[in-house]
Amino acid sequence: MSKIASYLATHLRGEVLSSKNIRNALATDGSVLKITPILAVYPYDTSDVRKIAHFAWQLAQKGHVFPLTTRGSGASRVGAAIGSGAIISLPTHFDTIFEVDTKQKLARVQPGVTVASLQQTMRTHGLEWPVDVSNPASTIGGAIANNSYGEKAVKFGDTSEWVDQIEIVLSNGDTLQTGRLSKRQLSKKKGLSSSEGEIYRKLDALIEDNEAIIAGLAEKNTTAGYAIAKVKDRRGNFDLTPLIAGSQGTLGIVTEAILKLGVYHPQKEVIAVTLSTLDNIDQLISSIQKYSPDKVEYVDGPSVEQIAADLKDILPDDDPDFKPKGLIFIELSDIGRKAKGKASKLAKAIEKLGHQTAISDGDTDSAGEIWQTYSRIQSAISQEGDDHKSPVSIVEDALLPISEVVHFIEAAHELAKKHRTKLLFSAHLGTGVVNAHALLDMQNLTDRNKVTKLIEDYYELVIKHDGGIAGEYAEGRLRASQNSLQFTENELELFAKVKSVFDIHGIFNPGVKLASEKDIAKLNEDFEPGKFADNLPRL
């Protein structure tokens, strides 16, 4: 055991481990990157987290930066859950749902609680946290860190909209509780002599001094960078919650959160659409949006063809030569029989445009079967390859204008041919989030050499189609270097200043969100998409 591990072990209630097996297990996450940490800490309580942060702060003041990376389920597709210093793993002890206020529709939870267990508990109260994550085992802390923007975002928005307050441990070990502040309350916070007061003073000054830059950031179509444009509204109200959400553990360590809840509607209707043409896709999308769907998921034609063997029992069989231009899966929910009526009207509107539909029509089992079909497709796209090549998450996430999604995917297929690979696509069609998997053999040097250039060319194409480099997962470590494609030097400099306000020594997750020459990750030659096979991810 190293000296650092020995010191921490004597001062913490939780476990401190530094064996080779533990370090190797935590050297990778759901991405294609790899960094081996020095040790792993499983803090028992917030006091432990504060002690770890304060210890790293003291080292940094002496010129020795000891990086701290918070980890939930470790499913990050962008390398945000790996680091070279200490991995702070929260699910072991930070897994409690403290209380549920059914009248105010609020729940106070720890960040290690999984989204799946939270939903199961909330639905016994007729409530739900309407946030979707890509992996059922993902934690609340991970969803907040990434500001997840999944399937349900078309109706419910991103994660930050369903978080009321967050408790974080700062880089010096102090704590801060976010929440909406009025002008008067902000003035009181700024008057504090603590590190909390210093953060409010510096951040408010930063906002005042950079109004024009922040106004430009508010117009950007991306979830990358720091959401400083959402901190202060026109009335002067101030809230750090949307800034912490999506910061991927680079501004502080989340130790508790109060979540907003919505009413759970178990009555759901599902429609599966087989596209016969893409000529009227814009009209089709417009028709779907009129019915306020919960989810609108798209799989393009070439990807359907790639995994056709898994879909023999669901594709139309009256014409063996028919090749669908794509598949769309739509979920609607409402009170009583309203969902059934909406679904029936929508299905008829879709059929008038020349496409084929299958509808659950009030049958719960049928709705489950149709959505299970989509889950099978997702699993095939994210897990199954061909010719020794596996789906690799290197260009998985982008945010496009909805009208550009189909056109972008068509152009991206041409780009893949240039790089002598294939891309498999699905998209959250209601929000414009596009998910792609490149078929590569990471043990093959030729394929590994394609990665950097493919990432660069792919995101240049995203920008060309008026998109952003991050949609569902934020940019993490994998795409931080691509931020220069969509942000100006002044905007990137502002992000660095935001980081400095919270973490002047660069202790928290260096190399994530802001590209850095330190804490560099390498490609994981042993990458396998089946690492999380116990909980297959949704795209």
Side-chain angles (χ1 to χ4, degrees), residues 181-192:
L181 303 174
S182 65
K183 279 186 177 180
R184 180 178 297 179
Q185 291 171 321
L186 174 62
S187 180
K188 288 183 178 180
K189 288 286 188 183
K190 290 166 65 176
L192 297 174

Side-chain angles (χ1 to χ4, degrees), residues 101-107 127 259-263:
D101 187 330
T102 57
K103 290 185 178 180
Q104 295 191 68
K105 297 186 180 66
L106 296 172
L127 302 169
L259 309 177
K260 301 175 185 177
L261 306 172
V263 176

Side-chain angles (χ1 to χ4, degrees), residues 451-464:
V451 170
T452 300
K453 184 59 176 173
L454 178 57
I455 291 174
E456 292 175 355
D457 289 353
Y458 184 86
Y459 287 109
E460 284 180 3
L461 185 64
V462 168
I463 300 300
K464 183 179 178 180

Side-chain angles (χ1 to χ4, degrees), residues 328-379:
I328 294 178
F329 295 82
I330 306 163
E331 181 181 280
L332 305 102
S333 66
D334 213 321
I335 301 172
R337 297 178 61 84
K338 289 184 179 181
K340 181 179 178 181
K342 287 165 60 175
S344 179
K345 290 179 182 179
L346 176 55
K348 290 178 181 178
I350 292 171
E351 289 168 1
K352 285 183 179 180
L353 294 174
H355 308 291
Q356 301 179 52
T357 66
I359 184 171
S360 56
D361 199 26
D363 187 329
T364 302
D365 290 339
S366 179
E369 289 173 4
I370 294 174
W371 208 256
Q372 181 59 29
T373 297
Y374 178 58
S375 296
R376 282 171 52 193
I377 292 172
Q378 289 180 316
S379 298

Side-chain angles (χ1 to χ4, degrees), residues 256-397:
E256 196 172 302
I258 297 177
L259 309 177
K260 301 175 185 177
L261 306 172
V263 176
Y264 174 55
H265 295 298
Q267 299 87 2
K268 300 183 186 300
E269 292 291 339
V270 179
I271 305 172
V273 183
T274 302
L275 301 177
S276 58
T277 179
L278 295 177
D279 292 344
N280 56 13
I281 190 68
D282 292 337
Q283 186 179 355
L284 174 61
I285 294 172
S286 178
S287 297
I288 295 171
Q289 289 175 324
K290 291 177 182 178
Y291 290 85
S292 301
D294 290 18
K295 304 177 183 180
V296 187
E297 303 304 301
Y298 170 71
V299 183
D300 76 309
S303 298
V304 172
E305 187 174 351
Q306 175 72 24
I307 59 174
D310 295 291
L311 306 175
K312 288 181 179 179
D313 58 330
I314 62 168
L315 293 176
D317 57 5
D318 53 337
D319 181 0
D321 296 324
F322 174 70
K323 292 184 179 181
K325 299 298 182 182
L327 300 174
I328 294 178
F329 295 82
I330 306 163
E331 181 181 280
L332 305 102
S333 66
D334 213 321
I335 301 172
R337 297 178 61 84
K338 289 184 179 181
K340 181 179 178 181
K342 287 165 60 175
S344 179
K345 290 179 182 179
L346 176 55
K348 290 178 181 178
I350 292 171
E351 289 168 1
K352 285 183 179 180
L353 294 174
H355 308 291
Q356 301 179 52
T357 66
I359 184 171
S360 56
D361 199 26
D363 187 329
T364 302
D365 290 339
S366 179
E369 289 173 4
I370 294 174
W371 208 256
Q372 181 59 29
T373 297
Y374 178 58
S375 296
R376 282 171 52 193
I377 292 172
Q378 289 180 316
S379 298
I381 289 176
S382 65
Q383 301 295 318
E384 299 181 15
D386 59 11
D387 299 327
H388 306 292
K389 297 180 185 292
S390 301
V392 178
S393 308
I394 57 171
V395 291
E396 182 173 345
D397 188 29

